[in-house]
Each structure stands twice: as C-alpha cells, then as structure tokens.
Amino acid sequence: MKHLKSKVILFTAISVLSMSSTLTVSAAGRHTPADIVAGLTGRAVASVIEERFETGKTFGTIAAEAGKLDEFKSEMLN
C-alpha cells in the first residue's frame, strides 16, 4: 500500500508540474527544458519529467540519448 501511495504522489506532482510549465509557456512565451526535450523527442512533458525524476538524468542527457543534443542546446539558448 505504501508503494501505491508514493506512485499517486509522484503522478500528482508530475501532473502539477506539467500544467504549471504549460501555463508558464503560454504566459511568458518561453520554454522550459522539459518542454524542449518533449518537443524534440515527440514525448509528453510529464514523461520527460518522470524520467528525470526516476533516473536522475539531466534534460541534456535525455536529449543526447535521443540524438537531439545539438537541437536541445540551440533551443535552450533562444
């Protein structure tokens, strides 16, 4: 039961982060690193955030593993 509770908390946190990053992007016209990696890899923002949380990988590492590091760097600098 304890394991299930931690998964529910994790899912809730990812959902809140996803919604807040979407609002930030809409309001400010900026992209977060999670938004950029998700867009470059065709994944959902929540999926990228979950991978980072579970593995400790940086967003740059996730982009690099998908063969998108140069594009990630370029987007981060814009």
Side-chain angles (χ1 to χ4, degrees), residues 40-41 61-69:
L40 292 172
T41 60
T61 300
I62 296 168
E65 289 176 350
K68 301 290 185 178
L69 183 58

Side-chain angles (χ1 to χ4, degrees), residues 15-76:
S15 297
V16 169
L17 286 172
S18 295
M19 288 187 304
S20 66
S21 68
T22 301
L23 293 174
T24 302
V25 169
S26 298
R30 297 184 190 168
H31 294 286
T32 66
D35 291 321
I36 293 169
V37 172
L40 292 172
T41 60
R43 294 172 57 188
V45 175
S47 170
V48 173
I49 292 170
E50 183 176 9
E51 180 177 350
R52 185 177 191 296
F53 179 78
E54 289 181 353
T55 66
K57 295 176 185 176
T58 65
F59 291 117
T61 300
I62 296 168
E65 289 176 350
K68 301 290 185 178
L69 183 58
D70 290 336
E71 294 94 328
F72 174 75
K73 289 180 183 179
S74 178
E75 288 291 321
M76 286 296 295

